[in-house]
Amino acid sequence: GRQPLAQPRRRADAQRLACPVLFLANWDDTRVPREQAFELFDLIGSEDKRLHAYPGEHGQLPEEARAASEDFLARYLARLAGLPRPRCS
């Protein structure tokens, strides 16, 4: 059978994450099944964590996933720099 994704090292590392996290998952992923992805997401220690799930197999993320990632990163970096919130399309 499959080993759980959250091995002791991954579990500890995920719990230590404190920065904002945008977690992308493929709903039909056979390499990292969604149950394992959700388990890892639940372990993340950040107060600001978001999960975006998309249909498809491992790595088959649509263009909207890239756009969401760019927007998330731009907002995070602007907040760190103390700049006004950017308008991302």
Side-chain angles (χ1 to χ4, degrees):
R2 247 185 220 282
Q3 289 187 321
L5 181 65
Q7 297 297 320
R9 171 68 191 264
R10 289 188 188 113
R11 181 178 299 272
D13 288 347
Q15 291 171 343
R16 281 195 296 271
L17 284 173
C19 64
V21 174
L22 175 61
F23 193 97
L24 305 177
N26 284 103
W27 195 256
D28 306 307
D29 197 328
T30 54
R31 184 189 237 177
V32 181
R34 67 177 159 261
E35 296 80 18
Q36 290 182 1
F38 294 163
E39 176 188 0
L40 183 59
F41 176 78
D42 285 342
L43 290 171
I44 293 171
S46 177
E47 290 182 19
D48 182 0
K49 61 181 181 179
R50 300 135 197 244
L51 181 126
H52 290 199
Y54 299 95
E57 182 52 75
H58 189 82
Q60 295 178 341
L61 294 170
E63 175 62 25
E64 68 186 75
R66 183 191 61 77
S69 297
E70 289 176 357
D71 181 59
F72 182 83
L73 183 59
R75 290 173 193 277
Y76 175 66
L77 293 175
R79 191 172 33 197
L80 281 179
L83 300 172
R85 204 170 167 166
R87 294 179 192 246
C88 298
S89 52

Coordinates of all heavy atoms in Angstrom, one line a residue:
G1 N 0.8 -1.2 0.0 CA 0.0 0.0 0.0 C 0.8 1.3 0.0 O 2.1 1.2 0.1
R2 N 0.2 2.4 -0.2 CA 0.8 3.7 -0.2 C 1.2 4.1 1.2 O 0.5 3.9 2.2 CB -0.2 4.7 -0.7 CG 0.2 5.2 -2.0 CD -0.8 6.3 -2.4 NE -1.0 6.3 -3.8 CZ -0.2 6.7 -4.7 NH1 0.9 7.3 -4.3 NH2 -0.5 6.6 -5.9
Q3 N 2.4 4.7 1.3 CA 2.8 5.3 2.6 C 2.1 6.6 2.8 O 1.9 7.3 1.8 CB 4.3 5.5 2.7 CG 5.1 4.2 2.8 CD 6.5 4.5 3.0 OE1 7.1 5.5 2.4 NE2 7.2 3.8 3.8
P4 N 1.8 7.0 4.0 CA 1.2 8.3 4.2 C 2.2 9.4 3.8 O 3.4 9.2 3.9 CB 1.0 8.4 5.7 CG 1.2 7.0 6.3 CD 1.9 6.3 5.2
L5 N 1.6 10.5 3.2 CA 2.5 11.6 2.7 C 3.2 12.2 3.9 O 4.3 12.6 3.7 CB 1.6 12.6 2.0 CG 2.4 13.8 1.4 CD1 3.3 13.3 0.3 CD2 1.4 14.8 0.8
A6 N 2.5 12.4 5.0 CA 3.1 13.1 6.1 C 4.0 12.3 7.0 O 3.7 11.9 8.1 CB 1.9 13.7 6.9
Q7 N 5.2 12.0 6.4 CA 6.2 11.3 7.2 C 6.7 12.2 8.3 O 6.4 13.4 8.2 CB 7.3 10.9 6.3 CG 6.9 9.9 5.2 CD 6.5 8.6 5.8 OE1 7.0 8.1 6.7 NE2 5.4 8.0 5.2
P8 N 7.4 11.7 9.3 CA 7.7 12.6 10.4 C 8.4 13.9 10.0 O 8.1 14.9 10.6 CB 8.7 11.7 11.3 CG 8.2 10.3 11.0 CD 7.8 10.3 9.5
R9 N 9.3 13.8 9.1 CA 10.0 15.1 8.7 C 9.1 16.0 8.0 O 9.1 17.2 8.3 CB 11.2 14.7 7.8 CG 11.9 15.9 7.1 CD 12.6 16.8 8.1 NE 13.0 18.0 7.5 CZ 14.2 18.3 7.0 NH1 15.1 17.3 7.0 NH2 14.5 19.4 6.5
R10 N 8.3 15.6 7.1 CA 7.3 16.4 6.4 C 6.3 17.0 7.4 O 5.9 18.1 7.3 CB 6.6 15.7 5.3 CG 7.4 15.4 4.1 CD 6.6 14.8 3.0 NE 7.5 14.4 2.0 CZ 7.6 13.1 1.6 NH1 7.0 12.1 2.2 NH2 8.4 12.8 0.6
R11 N 5.9 16.2 8.4 CA 4.9 16.6 9.4 C 5.5 17.8 10.2 O 4.9 18.8 10.4 CB 4.5 15.4 10.3 CG 3.5 15.7 11.3 CD 3.2 14.5 12.2 NE 2.6 13.4 11.3 CZ 1.3 13.3 11.1 NH1 0.5 14.2 11.6 NH2 0.9 12.3 10.3
A12 N 6.7 17.6 10.6 CA 7.4 18.6 11.4 C 7.6 19.9 10.6 O 7.4 21.0 11.1 CB 8.7 18.1 12.0
D13 N 8.1 19.7 9.4 CA 8.3 20.9 8.5 C 7.0 21.7 8.3 O 7.0 22.9 8.3 CB 9.0 20.5 7.2 CG 10.4 20.0 7.4 OD1 11.0 20.3 8.5 OD2 11.0 19.4 6.5
A14 N 5.9 20.9 8.0 CA 4.7 21.6 7.7 C 4.2 22.4 8.9 O 3.7 23.5 8.7 CB 3.6 20.5 7.2
Q15 N 4.3 21.8 10.0 CA 3.8 22.5 11.2 C 4.6 23.7 11.6 O 4.0 24.6 12.2 CB 3.9 21.5 12.4 CG 2.8 20.4 12.3 CD 3.0 19.3 13.3 OE1 4.1 19.2 14.0 NE2 2.0 18.5 13.5
R16 N 5.8 23.8 11.1 CA 6.7 25.0 11.4 C 6.4 26.1 10.4 O 6.8 27.3 10.6 CB 8.1 24.6 11.3 CG 8.6 23.9 12.6 CD 10.2 23.9 12.6 NE 10.7 23.1 11.6 CZ 11.0 21.8 11.7 NH1 10.7 21.2 12.8 NH2 11.5 21.2 10.7
L17 N 5.7 25.9 9.3 CA 5.5 26.9 8.3 C 4.6 28.0 9.0 O 3.6 27.8 9.6 CB 4.7 26.4 7.1 CG 5.6 25.6 6.1 CD1 4.7 25.0 5.1 CD2 6.6 26.5 5.5
A18 N 5.1 29.3 8.9 CA 4.4 30.4 9.5 C 4.0 31.4 8.4 O 3.2 32.3 8.7 CB 5.3 31.0 10.6
C19 N 4.6 31.4 7.3 CA 4.3 32.3 6.2 C 3.0 31.9 5.5 O 2.6 30.8 5.6 CB 5.4 32.4 5.2 SG 5.7 30.8 4.3
P20 N 2.4 32.9 4.8 CA 1.2 32.5 4.1 C 1.5 31.4 3.1 O 2.5 31.4 2.5 CB 0.8 33.8 3.4 CG 1.4 34.9 4.2 CD 2.7 34.3 4.7
V21 N 0.5 30.5 2.9 CA 0.7 29.4 2.0 C -0.5 29.3 1.0 O -1.7 29.3 1.5 CB 0.8 28.1 2.8 CG1 0.8 26.8 1.9 CG2 2.0 28.1 3.7
L22 N -0.2 29.2 -0.3 CA -1.2 28.8 -1.3 C -0.9 27.4 -1.7 O 0.2 27.2 -2.3 CB -1.2 29.8 -2.4 CG -2.1 29.4 -3.6 CD1 -3.6 29.4 -3.1 CD2 -1.9 30.4 -4.8
F23 N -1.7 26.5 -1.4 CA -1.5 25.0 -1.6 C -2.3 24.6 -2.8 O -3.6 24.7 -2.8 CB -2.0 24.3 -0.4 CG -1.5 22.9 -0.3 CD1 -0.4 22.5 0.4 CD2 -2.3 21.9 -0.9 CE1 0.0 21.2 0.5 CE2 -1.9 20.5 -0.8 CZ -0.8 20.2 -0.1
L24 N -1.7 24.2 -3.9 CA -2.3 23.8 -5.1 C -2.4 22.2 -5.1 O -1.4 21.6 -4.9 CB -1.6 24.3 -6.3 CG -1.4 25.8 -6.4 CD1 -0.6 26.1 -7.6 CD2 -2.7 26.5 -6.4
A25 N -3.5 21.7 -5.5 CA -3.7 20.2 -5.6 C -4.5 19.9 -6.8 O -5.4 20.6 -7.2 CB -4.4 19.7 -4.3
N26 N -4.2 18.7 -7.4 CA -5.0 18.2 -8.5 C -5.9 17.1 -7.9 O -5.5 16.2 -7.2 CB -4.1 17.5 -9.5 CG -3.4 18.5 -10.4 OD1 -2.2 18.8 -10.2 ND2 -4.1 19.1 -11.3
W27 N -7.2 17.3 -8.2 CA -8.2 16.5 -7.6 C -8.1 15.0 -8.0 O -8.4 14.1 -7.3 CB -9.6 17.0 -8.1 CG -10.7 16.4 -7.3 CD1 -11.6 15.4 -7.8 CD2 -11.1 16.8 -6.0 NE1 -12.5 15.2 -6.8 CE2 -12.2 16.0 -5.7 CE3 -10.6 17.7 -5.1 CZ2 -12.9 16.1 -4.5 CZ3 -11.3 17.8 -3.9 CH2 -12.4 17.0 -3.6
D28 N -7.6 14.7 -9.2 CA -7.5 13.4 -9.8 C -6.1 12.8 -9.7 O -5.7 11.9 -10.4 CB -8.0 13.3 -11.2 CG -9.5 13.9 -11.3 OD1 -10.3 13.4 -10.5 OD2 -9.7 14.8 -12.1
D29 N -5.2 13.4 -8.9 CA -3.8 13.1 -8.8 C -3.6 11.6 -8.3 O -4.1 11.3 -7.2 CB -3.1 14.0 -7.9 CG -1.6 14.1 -8.0 OD1 -1.0 13.0 -8.3 OD2 -1.0 15.1 -7.8
T30 N -2.9 10.8 -9.1 CA -2.7 9.4 -8.6 C -1.3 9.3 -8.0 O -1.0 8.4 -7.3 CB -2.7 8.4 -9.8 OG1 -1.9 8.9 -10.8 CG2 -4.2 8.3 -10.3
R31 N -0.4 10.4 -8.2 CA 0.9 10.4 -7.6 C 0.8 10.8 -6.1 O 1.4 10.3 -5.2 CB 1.8 11.3 -8.4 CG 3.2 11.3 -7.9 CD 4.0 12.4 -8.5 NE 5.1 11.9 -9.2 CZ 5.9 12.7 -9.9 NH1 5.6 13.9 -10.1 NH2 7.0 12.2 -10.5
V32 N 0.0 11.9 -5.9 CA -0.2 12.4 -4.5 C -1.8 12.5 -4.4 O -2.4 13.5 -4.7 CB 0.4 13.7 -4.2 CG1 0.1 14.2 -2.8 CG2 1.9 13.7 -4.5
P33 N -2.4 11.4 -4.0 CA -3.9 11.4 -3.9 C -4.4 12.5 -3.0 O -3.7 12.9 -2.1 CB -4.2 10.0 -3.3 CG -3.0 9.2 -3.6 CD -1.8 10.1 -3.6
R34 N -5.6 13.0 -3.3 CA -6.1 14.2 -2.6 C -6.2 14.0 -1.1 O -6.0 14.9 -0.4 CB -7.4 14.6 -3.2 CG -8.6 13.7 -3.0 CD -9.9 14.3 -3.6 NE -10.8 13.3 -3.9 CZ -11.1 12.8 -5.1 NH1 -10.4 13.2 -6.2 NH2 -12.0 11.9 -5.3
E35 N -6.4 12.7 -0.7 CA -6.5 12.5 0.8 C -5.1 12.9 1.4 O -5.1 13.4 2.5 CB -6.8 11.1 1.1 CG -8.2 10.7 0.7 CD -8.3 10.3 -0.8 OE1 -7.3 10.1 -1.5 OE2 -9.4 10.4 -1.4
Q36 N -4.0 12.5 0.7 CA -2.7 12.8 1.2 C -2.4 14.3 1.1 O -1.8 14.9 2.0 CB -1.6 12.0 0.5 CG -1.7 10.5 0.8 CD -0.6 9.8 0.1 OE1 0.2 10.3 -0.6 NE2 -0.5 8.5 0.4
A37 N -2.8 14.9 0.0 CA -2.6 16.3 -0.1 C -3.4 17.1 1.0 O -2.9 18.0 1.6 CB -3.1 16.8 -1.5
F38 N -4.6 16.7 1.3 CA -5.4 17.3 2.3 C -4.8 17.1 3.7 O -4.8 18.0 4.5 CB -6.9 16.8 2.3 CG -7.7 17.2 1.1 CD1 -8.8 16.5 0.8 CD2 -7.2 18.2 0.2 CE1 -9.6 16.8 -0.4 CE2 -7.9 18.5 -1.0 CZ -9.1 17.8 -1.2
E39 N -4.3 15.9 3.9 CA -3.6 15.6 5.2 C -2.4 16.6 5.4 O -2.2 17.2 6.4 CB -3.1 14.2 5.2 CG -2.3 13.9 6.4 CD -1.6 12.5 6.3 OE1 -1.8 11.8 5.3 OE2 -0.9 12.1 7.3
L40 N -1.6 16.8 4.3 CA -0.5 17.7 4.4 C -0.9 19.1 4.6 O -0.4 19.9 5.4 CB 0.4 17.6 3.2 CG 1.7 18.4 3.2 CD1 2.6 18.0 4.3 CD2 2.4 18.2 1.9
F41 N -2.0 19.5 3.9 CA -2.5 20.9 4.0 C -2.9 21.1 5.5 O -2.7 22.2 6.1 CB -3.7 21.1 3.1 CG -4.3 22.5 3.2 CD1 -3.7 23.6 2.7 CD2 -5.5 22.6 3.9 CE1 -4.3 24.8 2.9 CE2 -6.1 23.8 4.1 CZ -5.5 24.9 3.6
D42 N -3.6 20.2 6.0 CA -4.1 20.3 7.4 C -3.0 20.5 8.4 O -3.1 21.1 9.5 CB -5.0 19.1 7.8 CG -6.3 19.1 7.2 OD1 -6.8 20.2 6.8 OD2 -7.0 18.1 7.2
L43 N -1.8 19.9 8.1 CA -0.7 20.0 9.0 C 0.0 21.4 9.0 O 0.8 21.7 9.9 CB 0.4 18.9 8.7 CG -0.1 17.5 9.0 CD1 0.9 16.5 8.4 CD2 -0.2 17.3 10.5
I44 N -0.2 22.1 7.9 CA 0.5 23.4 7.8 C 0.2 24.3 8.9 O -1.0 24.5 9.2 CB 0.2 24.0 6.4 CG1 0.8 23.2 5.3 CG2 0.8 25.5 6.3 CD1 0.4 23.6 3.9
G45 N 1.2 24.9 9.6 CA 1.0 25.7 10.8 C 0.6 27.1 10.5 O 0.2 27.8 11.5
S46 N 0.7 27.6 9.3 CA 0.4 29.0 9.0 C -1.1 29.3 9.3 O -2.0 28.5 9.0 CB 0.7 29.3 7.6 OG 0.3 30.6 7.2
E47 N -1.3 30.5 9.9 CA -2.7 31.0 10.1 C -3.3 31.4 8.8 O -4.5 31.3 8.6 CB -2.7 32.2 11.0 CG -2.3 31.8 12.5 CD -2.4 33.0 13.4 OE1 -3.0 34.0 13.1 OE2 -1.8 32.8 14.5
D48 N -2.5 31.8 7.8 CA -3.0 32.2 6.5 C -2.6 31.1 5.5 O -1.5 31.1 4.9 CB -2.4 33.5 6.1 CG -2.9 34.0 4.7 OD1 -3.7 33.3 4.1 OD2 -2.5 35.1 4.3
K49 N -3.5 30.1 5.3 CA -3.3 29.1 4.3 C -4.6 28.9 3.5 O -5.7 28.9 4.1 CB -2.8 27.8 5.0 CG -3.8 27.2 6.0 CD -3.3 25.9 6.6 CE -4.3 25.3 7.5 NZ -3.7 24.0 8.1
R50 N -4.3 28.7 2.2 CA -5.5 28.5 1.3 C -5.2 27.3 0.4 O -4.1 27.0 0.0 CB -5.6 29.7 0.4 CG -5.9 31.0 1.2 CD -5.0 32.1 0.7 NE -4.9 33.2 1.6 CZ -5.4 34.4 1.4 NH1 -6.0 34.7 0.2 NH2 -5.3 35.3 2.3
L51 N -6.3 26.5 0.1 CA -6.1 25.4 -0.7 C -7.0 25.6 -2.0 O -8.1 25.9 -1.9 CB -6.7 24.1 0.0 CG -6.5 22.9 -0.8 CD1 -5.8 21.8 0.0 CD2 -7.9 22.3 -1.2
H52 N -6.3 25.4 -3.1 CA -7.0 25.5 -4.4 C -6.9 24.1 -5.0 O -5.7 23.6 -5.2 CB -6.4 26.5 -5.3 CG -6.6 27.9 -4.9 ND1 -6.5 29.0 -5.7 CD2 -7.0 28.5 -3.7 CE1 -6.7 30.1 -5.1 NE2 -7.0 29.9 -3.9
A53 N -8.0 23.5 -5.3 CA -8.0 22.2 -6.0 C -8.5 22.3 -7.4 O -9.5 23.1 -7.6 CB -8.8 21.2 -5.2
Y54 N -7.8 21.6 -8.3 CA -8.2 21.7 -9.7 C -8.4 20.3 -10.3 O -7.7 19.3 -9.8 CB -7.1 22.4 -10.5 CG -6.9 23.8 -10.1 CD1 -5.9 24.1 -9.1 CD2 -7.7 24.8 -10.6 CE1 -5.7 25.4 -8.7 CE2 -7.5 26.2 -10.2 CZ -6.5 26.4 -9.2 OH -6.3 27.7 -8.8
P55 N -9.2 20.1 -11.2 CA -9.4 18.8 -11.8 C -8.1 18.4 -12.6 O -7.3 19.3 -13.0 CB -10.5 18.9 -12.8 CG -10.6 20.4 -13.1 CD -10.1 21.1 -11.9
G56 N -7.9 17.1 -12.7 CA -6.7 16.6 -13.5 C -5.7 15.9 -12.7 O -5.8 15.7 -11.5
E57 N -4.8 15.3 -13.4 CA -3.7 14.5 -12.9 C -2.6 15.4 -12.4 O -2.5 16.6 -12.7 CB -3.3 13.5 -14.0 CG -2.2 12.5 -13.6 CD -2.5 11.7 -12.4 OE1 -3.3 10.8 -12.4 OE2 -1.8 12.0 -11.3
H58 N -1.6 14.8 -11.7 CA -0.5 15.5 -11.1 C 0.2 16.4 -12.1 O 0.5 16.0 -13.2 CB 0.6 14.4 -10.7 CG 1.7 15.0 -9.9 ND1 1.6 15.3 -8.5 CD2 2.9 15.4 -10.2 CE1 2.7 15.8 -8.1 NE2 3.5 15.9 -9.1
G59 N 0.3 17.7 -11.7 CA 1.0 18.7 -12.5 C 0.1 19.3 -13.6 O 0.6 20.2 -14.4
Q60 N -1.1 18.9 -13.8 CA -2.0 19.4 -14.8 C -2.8 20.6 -14.3 O -4.0 20.5 -14.1 CB -2.9 18.3 -15.4 CG -2.2 17.2 -16.1 CD -3.2 16.1 -16.5 OE1 -4.3 16.0 -16.1 NE2 -2.8 15.3 -17.5
L61 N -2.1 21.7 -14.0 CA -2.8 22.8 -13.5 C -3.2 23.8 -14.6 O -2.4 24.0 -15.5 CB -1.9 23.6 -12.5 CG -1.5 22.7 -11.2 CD1 -0.4 23.4 -10.4 CD2 -2.8 22.6 -10.4
P62 N -4.4 24.3 -14.5 CA -4.9 25.3 -15.5 C -4.2 26.6 -15.4 O -3.6 26.9 -14.4 CB -6.4 25.3 -15.3 CG -6.5 25.1 -13.8 CD -5.4 24.1 -13.5
E63 N -4.4 27.5 -16.4 CA -3.8 28.8 -16.4 C -4.3 29.6 -15.2 O -3.5 30.4 -14.6 CB -4.2 29.5 -17.7 CG -3.8 31.0 -17.7 CD -2.3 31.2 -17.7 OE1 -1.6 30.3 -18.1 OE2 -1.9 32.3 -17.3
E64 N -5.5 29.4 -14.7 CA -6.0 30.1 -13.6 C -5.2 29.8 -12.3 O -5.1 30.6 -11.4 CB -7.5 29.8 -13.3 CG -7.8 28.4 -12.9 CD -9.3 28.2 -12.8 OE1 -9.9 28.0 -13.8 OE2 -9.8 28.1 -11.7
A65 N -4.6 28.6 -12.2 CA -3.8 28.3 -11.1 C -2.5 29.2 -11.1 O -2.1 29.6 -10.0 CB -3.4 26.8 -11.1
R66 N -1.9 29.4 -12.3 CA -0.7 30.2 -12.4 C -1.1 31.7 -12.0 O -0.4 32.3 -11.2 CB -0.2 30.2 -13.8 CG 1.1 31.0 -13.9 CD 1.6 31.2 -15.4 NE 0.6 31.9 -16.1 CZ 0.4 33.3 -16.1 NH1 1.1 34.0 -15.3 NH2 -0.5 33.8 -16.9
A67 N -2.3 32.1 -12.5 CA -2.7 33.5 -12.2 C -3.0 33.6 -10.7 O -2.6 34.7 -10.1 CB -3.9 33.8 -13.0
A68 N -3.6 32.6 -10.1 CA -3.9 32.7 -8.6 C -2.6 32.7 -7.8 O -2.4 33.4 -6.8 CB -4.7 31.5 -8.2
S69 N -1.6 32.0 -8.3 CA -0.3 31.9 -7.6 C 0.4 33.3 -7.7 O 1.0 33.8 -6.7 CB 0.6 30.8 -8.2 OG 0.0 29.6 -8.0
E70 N 0.4 33.9 -8.9 CA 1.0 35.2 -9.1 C 0.3 36.2 -8.2 O 1.0 37.1 -7.6 CB 1.0 35.6 -10.6 CG 1.9 34.8 -11.4 CD 1.7 35.1 -12.9 OE1 0.9 36.0 -13.3 OE2 2.5 34.6 -13.7
D71 N -1.0 36.2 -8.2 CA -1.7 37.2 -7.3 C -1.4 37.0 -5.9 O -1.1 38.0 -5.1 CB -3.2 37.0 -7.6 CG -4.1 38.0 -6.8 OD1 -3.9 39.2 -7.0 OD2 -4.9 37.5 -6.0
F72 N -1.4 35.7 -5.4 CA -1.1 35.4 -4.0 C 0.3 35.9 -3.6 O 0.5 36.6 -2.6 CB -1.2 33.9 -3.8 CG -0.9 33.5 -2.4 CD1 -1.9 33.5 -1.5 CD2 0.3 33.0 -2.0 CE1 -1.7 33.1 -0.1 CE2 0.5 32.6 -0.7 CZ -0.5 32.7 0.2
L73 N 1.3 35.7 -4.5 CA 2.7 36.1 -4.2 C 2.8 37.6 -4.3 O 3.5 38.2 -3.4 CB 3.6 35.5 -5.3 CG 5.1 35.7 -5.1 CD1 5.6 35.3 -3.7 CD2 5.9 35.1 -6.2
A74 N 2.2 38.3 -5.2 CA 2.2 39.7 -5.3 C 1.7 40.4 -4.1 O 2.2 41.3 -3.5 CB 1.5 40.2 -6.6
R75 N 0.5 39.9 -3.6 CA -0.1 40.4 -2.4 C 0.8 40.2 -1.2 O 1.0 41.1 -0.3 CB -1.5 39.8 -2.2 CG -2.5 40.2 -3.2 CD -3.8 39.5 -3.0 NE -4.6 39.7 -4.2 CZ -5.4 40.7 -4.3 NH1 -5.5 41.6 -3.4 NH2 -6.2 40.8 -5.4
Y76 N 1.4 39.0 -1.1 CA 2.3 38.7 0.1 C 3.5 39.6 0.1 O 3.9 40.2 1.1 CB 2.7 37.2 0.0 CG 3.7 36.9 1.1 CD1 3.3 36.9 2.4 CD2 5.0 36.5 0.8 CE1 4.3 36.6 3.4 CE2 5.9 36.1 1.7 CZ 5.5 36.2 3.1 OH 6.4 35.9 4.0
L77 N 4.1 39.8 -1.1 CA 5.3 40.6 -1.2 C 5.0 42.1 -0.9 O 5.8 42.8 -0.3 CB 6.0 40.4 -2.5 CG 6.6 39.0 -2.8 CD1 7.2 38.9 -4.2 CD2 7.7 38.7 -1.7
A78 N 3.9 42.5 -1.4 CA 3.5 43.9 -1.2 C 3.2 44.2 0.3 O 3.6 45.2 0.9 CB 2.2 44.3 -2.0
R79 N 2.6 43.2 1.0 CA 2.4 43.3 2.4 C 3.7 43.4 3.2 O 3.9 44.2 4.1 CB 1.5 42.1 2.9 CG 1.0 42.3 4.3 CD 0.0 41.2 4.6 NE 0.4 39.9 3.9 CZ -0.4 38.9 3.8 NH1 -1.7 39.0 4.2 NH2 -0.1 37.8 3.2
L80 N 4.7 42.5 2.8 CA 6.0 42.6 3.4 C 6.7 43.9 3.2 O 7.4 44.4 4.1 CB 6.9 41.5 2.8 CG 6.7 40.1 3.3 CD1 7.7 39.1 2.6 CD2 6.9 39.9 4.8
A81 N 6.5 44.5 2.1 CA 7.2 45.8 1.7 C 6.4 47.0 2.2 O 6.9 48.1 2.1 CB 7.4 45.9 0.2
G82 N 5.2 46.7 2.8 CA 4.4 47.8 3.3 C 3.8 48.7 2.2 O 3.5 49.8 2.4
L83 N 3.6 48.1 1.0 CA 3.1 48.8 -0.2 C 1.6 48.6 -0.2 O 1.0 47.7 0.4 CB 3.7 48.2 -1.5 CG 5.2 48.4 -1.6 CD1 5.7 47.7 -2.8 CD2 5.6 49.8 -1.6
P84 N 0.9 49.5 -1.0 CA -0.6 49.3 -1.1 C -0.8 47.9 -1.8 O 0.0 47.4 -2.6 CB -1.0 50.4 -2.0 CG 0.1 51.3 -2.1 CD 1.3 50.6 -1.6
R85 N -1.9 47.3 -1.6 CA -2.3 46.1 -2.2 C -2.3 46.2 -3.7 O -3.0 47.0 -4.2 CB -3.7 45.7 -1.6 CG -3.9 44.2 -1.6 CD -5.2 44.0 -0.9 NE -5.5 42.6 -1.2 CZ -6.4 41.9 -0.5 NH1 -7.0 42.4 0.5 NH2 -6.7 40.7 -0.8
P86 N -1.6 45.3 -4.4 CA -1.6 45.4 -5.9 C -2.9 44.9 -6.5 O -3.5 44.1 -5.9 CB -0.4 44.5 -6.2 CG -0.3 43.5 -5.1 CD -0.7 44.3 -3.9
R87 N -3.2 45.4 -7.6 CA -4.3 44.9 -8.4 C -3.8 44.0 -9.4 O -3.1 44.4 -10.3 CB -5.0 46.1 -9.1 CG -5.7 47.0 -8.1 CD -6.4 48.1 -8.9 NE -6.7 49.2 -7.9 CZ -8.0 49.5 -7.7 NH1 -9.0 48.9 -8.3 NH2 -8.3 50.5 -6.9
C88 N -4.1 42.7 -9.2 CA -3.6 41.7 -10.1 C -4.8 41.2 -10.9 O -5.9 41.1 -10.4 CB -3.0 40.5 -9.4 SG -1.5 41.0 -8.5
S89 N -4.6 40.9 -12.2 CA -5.7 40.4 -13.0 C -5.7 38.9 -13.0 O -4.8 38.2 -12.6 CB -5.5 40.9 -14.4 OG -4.2 40.6 -14.9

